[in-house]
């Protein structure tokens, strides 16, 4: 008996030392040998702590009485649970007890026909981590699928093994498997497999530009990059690829380049510059026609490219007042006006040119001179389209360039008018000097003539000296008049120099006498 007691004591000690909750049940059968409940025979301290009761309260009690919710959660009943446990050598499951807000891992085994051993483990922390991992995976998958750039994975041999939705949208394909079915010529042209980075060649670029041609013949500029993924030993596993449609960016770069080339082409002739700006507006923005509409210019109100797009009779004021460009100009809207589809606006009914020429989209900006809106620079296209941020900036820049050319043209006209006025004034002054020179010489010649005659007949030395002084004064006055006349010649560029001899002593003596 002591041996049995010792063995039972050791068994109890072993059960109590188990670090997780333990219980042993006796399976209760009904008259038809159907399991209907579990009778608690033995528990450990962890089980008591788990259920918040002393083992004396558990021993000899039915599970349905001690924890009805737990019993019900066992696969919706004792019977189903016992059948499931009996069908496997080791039965594992997990249950959630709502009243405790706790998840449990259950490990059960039927020892004999009527004895059941169960281990319980609180798995709430693990479930929280698992749920966080699930949410993290969902978040990552959502970010991966809806990323603004195409993401894909390529095996070492160049096979695409996964890709997101943006990848398919960029290439216009239903699934990346379609690419694997294309021939080498297609891939040679589109460079998706042929340009994978070579690990043995460090000079091989992992980022490069290429292009893609869809089934409709539309070409797109693409930017591809590949990042090798390796294991902890440095062995190459696969490539993570990124693909981006940079067609808009390439188009913007080309437009900026054309804009810079335009500024390099501008010369000194303002009228030619204005025509060139209007022409380049259409070419850079790739539209149907570009229009520079000017207020109060009558038949010269429109400068267009192509120049023959409008009939001359359509430039009358009645049509102008109903036109797009006229509305922007007259309203003084100092911002870019963008209309992706003209059919959705009132201008489709009021602007006769829109219907006649089939215009569908519009972009325009007012032309401002000295703080006043004097016109507008517009571009219209025969198809509906959206305009990029670069194109909005370009129309504004071209309109500003047009304003500067008009400003320079106005300054040139003002300078030309000022020069003409100056030339007229100078001619008047020259004519006045010439007339005055003639008018002054006539009485002076009389004075000099009579002085010479009086000198010839005068015998009184004192009077003779006075007459000679009169004659010399008249000569000097005549010289001054001649100098004034020479000044007019100087302005006309017709002055000539002549050499003459003179008596220095006589000149000095005459000056002293005066």
């Amino acid at each position: 008996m002591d041996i049995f007691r010792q063995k039972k004591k050791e068994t109890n000690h072993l059960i109590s030392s188990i670090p997780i909750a333990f219980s042993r049940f006796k399976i209760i059968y009904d008259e038809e040998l159907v399991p209907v409940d579990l009778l608690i025979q033995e528990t450990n301290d962890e089980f008591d702590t788990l259920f918040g009761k002393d083992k004396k309260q558990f021993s000899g009690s039915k599970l349905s009485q001690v924890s009805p919710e737990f019993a019900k959660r066992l696969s919706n009943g004792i019977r189903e649970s016992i059948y499931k446990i009996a069908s496997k050598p080791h039965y594992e499951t997990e249950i959630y007890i709502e009243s405790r807000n706790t998840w449990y891992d259950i490990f059960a085994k039927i020892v004999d026909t009527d004895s059941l051993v169960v281990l319980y483990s609180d798995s709430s922390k693990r479930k929280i981590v698992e749920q966080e991992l699930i949410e993290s995976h969902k978040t990552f998958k959502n970010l991966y699928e809806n990323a603004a750039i195409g993401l894909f994975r390529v095996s070492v041999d160049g096979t695409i093994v996964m890709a997101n939705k943006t990848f398919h949208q960029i290439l216009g394909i239903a699934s990346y498997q379609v690419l694997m079915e294309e021939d080498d010529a297609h891939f040679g042209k589109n460079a998706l497999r042929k340009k994978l980075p070579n690990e043995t060649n460090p000079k091989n670029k992992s980022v490069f530009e290429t292009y893609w041609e869809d089934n409709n013949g539309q070409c797109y500029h693409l930017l591809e990059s590949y990042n090798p993924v390796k294991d902890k030993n440095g062995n190459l596993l696969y490539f993570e690829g990124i693909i981006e449609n940079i067609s808009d960016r390439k188009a913007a770069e080309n437009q900026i380049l054309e804009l810079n080339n335009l500024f390099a082409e501008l010369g000194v002739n303002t009228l030619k510059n204005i025509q060139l700006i209007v022409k380049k507006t259409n070419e850079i923005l790739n539209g149907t026609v570009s229009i520079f509409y000017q207020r109060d210019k009558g038949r010269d109100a429109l400068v267009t490219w192509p120049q023959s797009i409008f009939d001359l009779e359509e430039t009358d004021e009645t049509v102008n007042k109903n036109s797009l460009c006229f509305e922007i100009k007259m309203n003084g809207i100092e911002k870019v006006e963008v209309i992706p589809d003209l059919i959705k606006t009132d201008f489709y009914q009021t602007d006769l040119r829109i219907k006649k020429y089939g215009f569908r989209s519009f972009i325009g900006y007012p032309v401002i001179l000295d703080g006043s809106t004097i016109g507008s620079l517009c571009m219209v296209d025969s198809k509906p389209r959206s305009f990029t941020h670069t194109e909005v900036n370009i129309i504004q820049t071209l309109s500003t360039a047009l304003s500067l050319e008009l400003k320079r043209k106005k300054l040139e006209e003002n300078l030309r008018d000022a020069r003409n006025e100056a030339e007229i004034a100078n001619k008047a002054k020259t004519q006045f000097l010439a007339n005055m020179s003639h008018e002054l010489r006539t009485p002076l010649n009389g004075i000099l003539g009579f002085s010479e005659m009086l000198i010839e007949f005068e015998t009184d030395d004192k009077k003779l000296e006075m007459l000679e002084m009169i004659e010399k004064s008249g000569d000097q006055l005549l010289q001054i008049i001649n100098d004034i006349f020479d000044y007019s010649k100087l302005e006309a560029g017709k002055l000539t120099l002549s050499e003459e001899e003179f008596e220095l002593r006589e000149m000095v003596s005459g000056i002293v006498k005066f």
Side-chain angles (χ1 to χ4, degrees):
M1 293 295 292
D2 291 337
I3 295 175
F4 287 113
R5 288 194 191 95
Q6 181 66 28
K7 288 292 184 180
K8 185 172 182 180
K9 184 177 180 181
E10 291 177 356
T11 301
N12 292 336
H13 177 73
L14 179 63
I15 291 172
S16 298
S17 64
I18 295 175
I20 59 176
F22 165 85
S23 64
R24 184 165 58 83
F25 299 95
K26 180 180 179 181
I27 303 173
I28 300 176
Y29 296 93
D30 61 9
E31 296 177 354
E32 298 178 359
L33 298 179
V34 176
V36 294
D37 209 338
L38 297 174
L39 183 67
I40 302 174
Q41 291 185 315
E42 193 172 5
T43 63
N44 68 350
D45 294 340
E46 292 291 334
F47 183 89
D48 299 342
T49 301
L50 182 67
F51 284 89
K53 295 182 180 180
D54 186 80
K55 61 179 65 181
K56 293 179 181 180
Q57 296 178 275
F58 287 128
S59 182
S61 301
K62 294 180 181 180
L63 182 63
S64 60
Q65 297 172 336
V66 174
S67 181
E69 185 181 9
F70 206 99
K72 183 178 180 181
R73 292 295 296 171
L74 285 173
S75 300
N76 296 321
I78 299 297
R79 183 179 63 181
E80 289 82 359
S81 300
I82 296 299
Y83 289 157
K84 285 185 178 181
I85 294 170
S87 66
K88 297 180 180 180
H90 302 282
Y91 180 77
E92 299 179 11
T93 187
E94 60 180 14
I95 62 174
Y96 175 72
I97 303 302
E98 188 173 357
S99 62
R100 295 174 178 270
N101 191 28
T102 305
W103 281 93
Y104 295 97
D105 285 330
I106 305 297
F107 306 90
K109 183 175 177 62
I110 295 177
V111 179
D112 52 40
T113 56
D114 62 351
S115 184
L116 174 66
V117 175
V118 183
L119 297 175
Y120 313 81
S121 176
D122 187 341
S123 62
S124 297
K125 292 182 178 179
R126 178 178 59 80
K127 290 295 290 186
I128 291 173
V129 173
E130 288 178 354
Q131 188 62 33
E132 288 177 348
L133 288 173
I134 291 172
E135 293 298 325
S136 176
H137 177 72
K138 288 181 180 179
T139 301
F140 171 77
K141 185 176 180 181
N142 183 58
L143 291 173
Y144 183 86
E145 285 297 326
N146 298 288
I149 56 177
L151 303 174
F152 61 104
R153 180 174 295 175
V154 184
S155 64
V156 178
D157 65 358
T159 302
I160 300 175
V161 295
M162 64 181 294
N164 68 350
K165 291 190 295 186
T166 309
F167 176 87
H168 300 126
Q169 292 170 356
I170 289 175
L171 301 183
I173 55 177
S175 172
Y176 66 85
Q177 283 86 355
V178 175
L179 300 177
M180 300 296 102
E181 300 171 1
E182 300 285 351
D183 57 28
D184 287 342
H186 186 72
F187 277 108
K189 181 170 62 174
N190 292 287
L192 279 172
R193 285 196 302 184
K194 298 298 183 180
K195 288 189 177 181
L196 286 177
N198 186 349
E199 284 292 297
T200 61
N201 181 8
K203 294 183 179 180
N204 197 323
K205 293 182 179 180
S206 60
V207 179
F208 51 86
E209 291 185 12
T210 180
Y211 74 95
W212 175 263
E213 183 178 340
D214 61 19
N215 294 330
N216 298 322
Q218 181 71 33
C219 288
Y220 302 97
H221 288 276
L222 305 179
L223 181 67
E224 297 182 48
S225 62
Y226 297 89
N227 182 43
V229 179
K230 303 177 182 179
D231 61 18
K232 61 182 180 179
N233 298 320
N235 299 316
L236 180 64
L237 299 177
Y238 53 84
F239 292 99
E240 290 290 358
I242 295 176
I243 188 169
E244 184 179 0
N245 187 343
I246 59 171
S247 299
D248 289 342
R249 191 181 80 188
K250 294 295 290 185
E253 289 175 358
N254 293 332
Q255 287 174 329
I256 297 298
L257 180 60
E258 289 186 53
L259 187 63
N260 292 334
N261 292 336
L262 163 63
F263 292 139
E265 289 182 46
L266 296 177
V268 297
N269 190 318
T270 54
L271 291 178
K272 288 184 178 180
N273 289 345
I274 290 172
Q275 292 177 350
L276 181 60
I277 291 172
V278 176
K279 175 183 177 183
K280 287 298 182 179
T281 298
N282 191 52
E283 293 178 356
I284 294 174
L285 298 179
N286 193 27
T288 301
V289 59
S290 53
I291 308 165
F292 170 38
Y293 178 85
Q294 303 173 84
R295 181 182 183 182
D296 302 330
K297 287 292 183 178
R299 289 187 175 273
D300 296 327
L302 294 179
V303 178
T304 66
W305 193 268
Q307 294 175 328
S308 60
I309 192 67
F310 294 138
D311 297 332
L312 288 177
E313 61 270 15
E314 291 185 358
T315 61
D316 60 74
E317 192 67 17
T318 302
V319 176
N320 291 341
K321 286 185 177 179
N322 296 318
S323 69
L324 263 175
C325 294
F326 180 85
E327 288 294 329
I328 291 176
K329 173 191 67 61
M330 290 300 293
N331 293 338
I333 303 174
E334 293 188 21
K335 69 180 184 65
V336 176
E337 185 75 12
V338 174
I339 303 177
D341 194 347
L342 290 167
I343 288 182
K344 300 178 181 180
T345 68
D346 293 337
F347 289 112
Y348 192 72
Q349 302 297 331
T350 60
D351 194 329
L352 302 181
R353 300 186 185 95
I354 293 178
K355 282 188 174 182
K356 179 173 181 178
Y357 298 102
F359 297 146
R360 292 296 302 274
S361 53
F362 169 92
I363 183 171
Y365 192 80
V367 177
I368 301 170
L369 182 62
D370 295 334
S372 300
T373 303
I374 56 95
S376 58
L377 180 64
C378 317
M379 190 283 293
V380 287
D381 201 349
S382 57
K383 60 182 180 297
R385 59 183 278 192
S386 299
F387 294 94
T388 65
H389 181 69
T390 300
E391 290 172 331
V392 168
N393 288 335
I394 285 175
I395 191 72
Q396 188 171 356
T397 301
L398 290 170
S399 178
T400 302
L402 206 54
S403 298
L404 292 174
E405 289 298 327
L406 291 169
K407 179 70 173 179
R408 189 158 71 92
K409 181 174 178 289
K410 183 178 179 180
L411 290 174
E412 289 175 353
E413 291 174 350
N414 292 339
L415 287 173
R416 187 162 49 248
D417 293 341
R419 186 181 63 183
N420 292 336
E421 290 176 2
E423 288 177 353
I424 293 172
N426 187 59
K427 288 180 180 179
K429 182 190 67 176
T430 302
Q431 185 64 39
F432 172 76
L433 290 175
N435 293 338
M436 287 300 297
S437 175
H438 175 72
E439 295 297 330
L440 290 172
R441 279 188 183 134
T442 301
L444 189 56
N445 287 333
I447 293 172
L448 292 175
F450 284 113
S451 296
E452 290 178 3
M453 291 175 64
L454 289 172
I455 289 172
E456 290 181 6
F457 299 106
E458 186 59 53
T459 57
D460 189 313
D461 292 337
K462 188 63 176 177
K463 292 181 179 179
L464 182 61
E465 183 180 357
M466 294 174 65
L467 288 172
E468 287 176 351
M469 288 179 66
I470 292 173
E471 183 182 26
K472 287 180 180 180
S473 297
D475 288 335
Q476 290 179 359
L477 183 57
L478 181 60
Q479 184 62 44
I480 292 172
I481 294 171
N482 290 335
D483 289 342
I484 294 173
F485 184 69
D486 289 340
Y487 176 75
S488 63
K489 286 184 177 180
L490 179 63
E491 288 188 334
K494 298 179 179 180
L495 181 65
T496 57
L497 298 177
S498 61
E499 296 182 1
E500 295 183 2
E501 295 181 358
F502 66 95
E503 289 290 340
L504 180 60
R505 184 183 301 274
E506 184 179 348
M507 176 179 289
V508 174
S509 177
I511 293 173
V512 171
K513 288 180 179 180
F514 282 109

